[in-house]
Amino acid sequence: METITILYIEGDGIGPYIMNASINVWNKAVDYVYSGKKKIIWKEIYAGKKALKKFGSLLPDETLNLLKAYKVGIKGPLETPVGSGHRSLNVTLRQTLDLYACIRPVKYIKGIEAPVKNPEDVDIIIFRENTEDVYAGIEWEENSKESEEIINFLKERFRIKLNKSAIGIKPISEFKTKRLMKKAIKYAIENNRKKITIVHKGNIMKYTEGAFRKWCYEVSDEFKKSLDENQIEINDVIADNMFQQLLINPKNYDILITPNLNGDYLSDAAAAQVGGIGIVPGANIGDNIALFEPTHGTAPGIKNPEMANPTSLILSGVMMLEYIGFSEAANVIRNSLEKAILEGYVTQDISKNPEKALSTKEFTNKIIEYFSKN
């Protein structure tokens, strides 16, 4: 028997409800496909409110150490208290574990109402750099000692005059850009993707995002030496134009590779075209560790969390199953979920008739029923 231990964080808000239901789907699919020859052992770790209550910390060292040891995990949405002085837990996890590639596949699922005419034309993978750019978190408040020192330094050393301001620093490095591009090209080769588009604002930020573009092209030039020249097309698009292109010509795009902030905007905008972030999965992957997660938050506006939509988390688990080599189980889940939605079995957020909407558990049970119809 092949067994693998996977860590999970329930998450806050709707997290425990969608996590428990999703684990049931993943387990049932593994049992259905492999008949006991493969198995997942689940081990809970803690972050967010549950960790604060249990350990007195939103992100205990034990959680980070276990992720480093076991290498694979999946998490529900985590809440970072507003005004608490805590940084985003999601950002902290990504940076502390060096999960430098945020990978978000965005593809339309038939049966879901979308705000554009042809959502079926959207089938892209976004590779977003996870550890640099403004998300590095290097910033100081206006009137702070640090911001005043930096303003004075810029004035005295470079003759740059600034008003009293909050100050942020935007680092983008050759090393971190190139390793992301290498991962995107490898993904394209392994998944038969034909085009990578570098998305940047290099016309304005020439030495940060302009350099991001340059370094990505340098990696592609290295790969072309060992590949068929026409195997993967590489081009680039200015970030603001990319938003327009996604709406007008989504068929022209396959893989997008972006700095951190551009990728954050674009992944949500692309998700909106196919029905929203509630149906789009996500993964944060480094060289040795992978942490999968839904793209949405804790959904505090949902009055009854037992009615929450688990699709994003389920599909994040599908990405996880593919990552660990359980691709057959991943395919069964994806196909069953798509069939259930197409036939109108959906949760209230995407139901055309809310009175007939399914609860989280009812929806996941319906997915499991469709396993035998694959």
Side-chain angles (χ1 to χ4, degrees):
M1 178 187 293
E2 180 183 350
T3 62
I4 183 169
T5 298
I6 293 177
L7 308 178
Y8 72 96
I9 298 169
E10 281 190 344
D12 299 321
I14 63 172
Y17 300 90
I18 60 174
M19 181 62 74
N20 291 334
S22 297
I23 286 177
N24 188 42
V25 172
W26 302 324
N27 280 340
K28 291 290 175 61
V30 170
D31 290 342
Y32 176 80
V33 172
Y34 302 115
S35 302
K37 294 179 181 178
K38 292 185 178 183
K39 184 178 180 181
I40 295 173
I41 298 172
W42 297 95
K43 180 178 177 62
E44 185 176 9
I45 55 176
Y46 301 91
K49 288 183 176 179
K50 195 170 183 178
L52 186 62
K53 185 176 180 179
K54 188 176 179 67
F55 295 97
S57 169
L58 289 168
L59 186 58
D61 289 341
E62 179 182 309
T63 293
L64 296 170
N65 291 334
L66 286 169
L67 283 165
K68 291 175 184 176
Y70 284 91
K71 311 297 184 186
V72 182
I74 190 162
K75 57 176 280 297
L78 292 173
E79 176 184 339
T80 300
V82 177
S84 66
H86 293 283
R87 291 193 63 202
S88 163
L89 294 177
N90 294 323
V91 172
T92 302
L93 281 163
R94 294 165 189 167
Q95 293 186 346
T96 304
L97 299 171
D98 200 23
L99 305 175
Y100 59 85
C102 179
I103 304 173
R104 290 187 178 178
V106 185
K107 185 177 181 179
Y108 179 63
I109 299 173
K110 291 181 180 179
I112 292 179
E113 189 172 331
V116 296
K117 291 181 179 179
N118 301 111
E120 66 277 2
D121 290 347
V122 180
D123 182 4
I124 62 171
I125 312 290
I126 297 175
F127 272 72
R128 167 191 172 198
E129 205 291 319
N130 243 350
T131 63
E132 292 194 303
D133 200 356
V134 293
Y135 279 76
I138 307 170
E139 60 176 357
W140 297 275
E141 290 181 296
E142 182 179 352
N143 295 321
S144 67
K145 178 183 176 182
E146 293 85 356
S147 66
E148 290 179 356
E149 286 181 358
I150 291 170
I151 289 170
N152 289 333
F153 172 78
L154 292 173
K155 181 180 178 180
E156 294 170 6
R157 182 69 175 82
F158 298 107
R159 297 182 181 178
I160 295 172
K161 294 183 179 180
L162 296 177
N163 294 327
K164 284 189 175 182
S165 307
I167 298 290
I169 294 179
K170 176 189 177 78
I172 290 182
S173 68
E174 180 178 4
F175 168 72
K176 291 189 174 183
T177 299
K178 285 188 170 181
R179 67 177 180 177
L180 181 70
M181 185 62 171
K182 289 175 183 177
K183 191 174 284 289
I185 292 175
K186 182 180 179 183
Y187 182 97
I189 295 168
E190 292 175 349
N191 293 275
N192 197 32
R193 294 278 177 163
K194 299 301 184 183
K195 184 176 181 178
I196 297 175
T197 300
I198 306 159
V199 183
H200 62 94
K201 193 64 178 171
N203 58 326
I204 303 298
M205 292 172 277
K206 300 182 184 299
Y207 303 117
T208 51
E209 300 208 11
F212 181 90
R213 172 188 178 275
K214 180 187 75 169
W215 292 324
C216 284
Y217 273 123
E218 287 177 357
V219 172
S220 72
D221 290 342
E222 293 172 11
F223 269 86
K224 284 180 181 179
K225 296 175 184 177
S226 59
L227 295 173
D228 176 357
E229 187 174 346
N230 298 318
Q231 186 171 352
I232 302 173
E233 177 187 351
I234 310 290
N235 71 340
D236 71 278
V237 175
I238 300 296
D240 45 320
N241 184 32
M242 190 68 239
F243 283 91
Q244 176 181 234
Q245 294 302 317
L246 267 181
L247 285 167
I248 297 173
N249 302 305
K251 279 186 174 181
N252 291 347
Y253 299 93
D254 195 348
I255 291 177
L256 308 181
I257 179 168
T258 81
N260 207 328
L261 186 59
N262 292 340
D264 197 5
Y265 294 152
L266 281 167
S267 58
D268 280 14
Q273 291 182 229
V274 299
I277 57 176
I279 59 172
V280 173
N284 302 289
I285 300 177
D287 289 331
N288 300 303
I289 305 171
L291 183 62
F292 300 83
E293 64 180 1
T295 57
H296 57 74
T298 58
I302 294 182
K303 294 181 180 179
N304 183 359
E306 293 181 353
M307 301 297 289
N309 184 357
T311 300
S312 178
L313 182 58
I314 290 171
L315 291 177
S316 299
V318 166
M319 293 178 71
M320 178 189 68
L321 291 171
E322 292 172 335
Y323 180 84
I324 64 174
F326 286 32
S327 296
E328 299 88 351
N331 289 334
V332 164
I333 295 172
R334 183 187 292 109
N335 293 338
S336 299
L337 182 146
E338 290 176 355
K339 287 177 181 178
I341 289 176
L342 182 59
E343 295 192 13
Y345 297 107
V346 293
T347 49
Q348 62 183 3
D349 58 317
I350 54 177
S351 176
K352 296 178 182 178
N353 187 350
E355 293 181 359
K356 293 185 178 180
L358 303 181
S359 68
T360 308
K361 188 174 181 180
E362 289 170 337
F363 176 59
T364 52
N365 285 342
K366 185 60 67 173
I367 293 170
I368 293 166
E369 285 181 26
Y370 275 80
F371 288 174
S372 60
K373 300 178 183 180
N374 272 275

